[in-house]
Amino acid sequence: MACHPVHRLAAQVALIALTAIAAAASAPSGARADAVNVGFTWSPQAPAAGQPVVFAVAPETRAVGLSAALWDFDGDGVFDALGPTVTTTFPAAGSQVVRLVAVDSGGNSGAAANAVTVGPPLPPAPVPPPPPPAPGPASPPSLMSPFPVVRLQGRVLRSGIRVTRLLVQAPAGARVRAVCLGRHHGCPRRSVVRRSRSPRAVVRLRRFERRLRPGAVIQVFVTAPEAIGKYVRFRVAPGRAPSRRDMCVAPAGVAPARCPGE
């Protein structure tokens, strides 16, 4: 019965490979046969057990017109891989002889063997710590405590009012700023700033204790860095008590707004 061409070719390659392996086995590590100038490289040069190692036929060996490259990684004479570039791993540390059989386009073969020093397994990669938890939403500021109290005392005149006392009761550390709008209506200066020095201290704004004509406006801001403060506006009208508007002001802010819950 005639042998199939594929089987015949496989038998020829196997015979050539076995002859080259036998020659390489009898040669010391690093020796090369003379039929085909065979060489190979590997990376990394000092692999660790279990680490992938890439073996490649040397360029001078490929230059002869390579038709087959067979690799034996465990020295048992059985080919473990086929191709000009292959990857393998070594399960344990130690010196491992790797053999390559190369066949050129003319059917000539050669073999080379090199000892690869395999180190112990690499330590496991450190597990990165979990990311810090995302900050939750910031809690809204609370009302200043005790909440400020603003009082204006005086007398209604036919042509405005006479302020006898302008008092602000505020917690320690609060900033009290009073603004008088209407210089031609009796305002002595635009603004005055005071600081509350003790709990429930009473700050007296003497600068605005005077006669104010209709159209004058006094604004009082009581603020603190981390709390919602107090805003009061007094508007002087002819022949009657000044109108009053109470609102809140954001921490260290200047724009009055509705108080929480209103």
Side-chain angles (χ1 to χ4, degrees):
M1 181 175 181
C3 181
H4 194 280
V6 175
H7 296 163
R8 185 165 57 250
L9 178 60
Q12 291 174 352
V13 173
L15 180 60
I16 294 171
L18 288 174
T19 303
I21 288 290
S26 62
S29 175
R32 295 178 178 176
D34 296 329
V36 176
N37 185 19
V38 180
F40 63 90
T41 60
W42 64 95
S43 179
Q45 285 291 302
Q51 182 181 17
V53 187
V54 178
F55 288 87
V57 177
E60 59 269 21
T61 303
R62 299 189 189 207
V64 302
L66 193 67
S67 63
L70 302 95
W71 302 84
D72 177 14
F73 297 121
D74 52 14
D76 61 357
V78 177
F79 298 124
D80 302 305
L82 175 67
T85 303
V86 296
T87 302
T88 189
T89 58
F90 299 103
S95 181
Q96 182 66 54
V97 176
V98 176
R99 292 181 174 86
L100 166 66
V101 173
V103 182
D104 66 12
S105 57
N108 302 308
S109 66
N114 284 295
V116 179
T117 301
V118 182
L122 296 174
V127 179
S139 57
S142 57
L143 291 175
M144 194 181 296
S145 180
F147 201 60
V149 177
V150 179
R151 294 189 180 92
L152 185 147
Q153 300 174 356
R155 299 194 307 273
V156 176
L157 305 175
R158 184 177 301 176
S159 58
I161 63 170
R162 178 172 293 279
V163 180
T164 56
R165 280 185 175 80
L166 181 55
L167 307 174
V168 179
Q169 184 176 339
R175 181 176 183 265
V176 179
R177 177 171 178 260
V179 178
C180 189
L181 305 177
R183 186 168 185 178
H184 298 293
H185 299 279
C187 291
R189 59 186 300 179
R190 179 168 178 79
S191 65
V192 173
V193 177
R194 298 286 186 268
R195 184 76 66 174
S196 178
R197 301 299 180 185
S198 61
R200 303 189 68 84
V202 176
V203 177
R204 186 171 180 179
L205 303 172
R206 297 179 183 273
R207 179 71 63 176
F208 298 144
E209 295 177 357
R210 58 185 295 123
R211 180 171 175 265
L212 298 176
R213 292 191 291 274
V217 175
I218 295 178
Q219 298 180 97
V220 179
F221 300 82
V222 186
T223 58
E226 298 179 357
I228 296 174
K230 177 80 171 178
Y231 167 81
V232 180
R233 183 194 67 198
F234 299 97
R235 186 185 299 274
V236 180
R240 55 189 174 89
S243 62
R244 173 173 177 150
R245 178 72 184 275
D246 287 70
M247 300 180 72
C248 285
V249 63
V254 295
R258 288 186 175 183
C259 293
E262 289 188 352

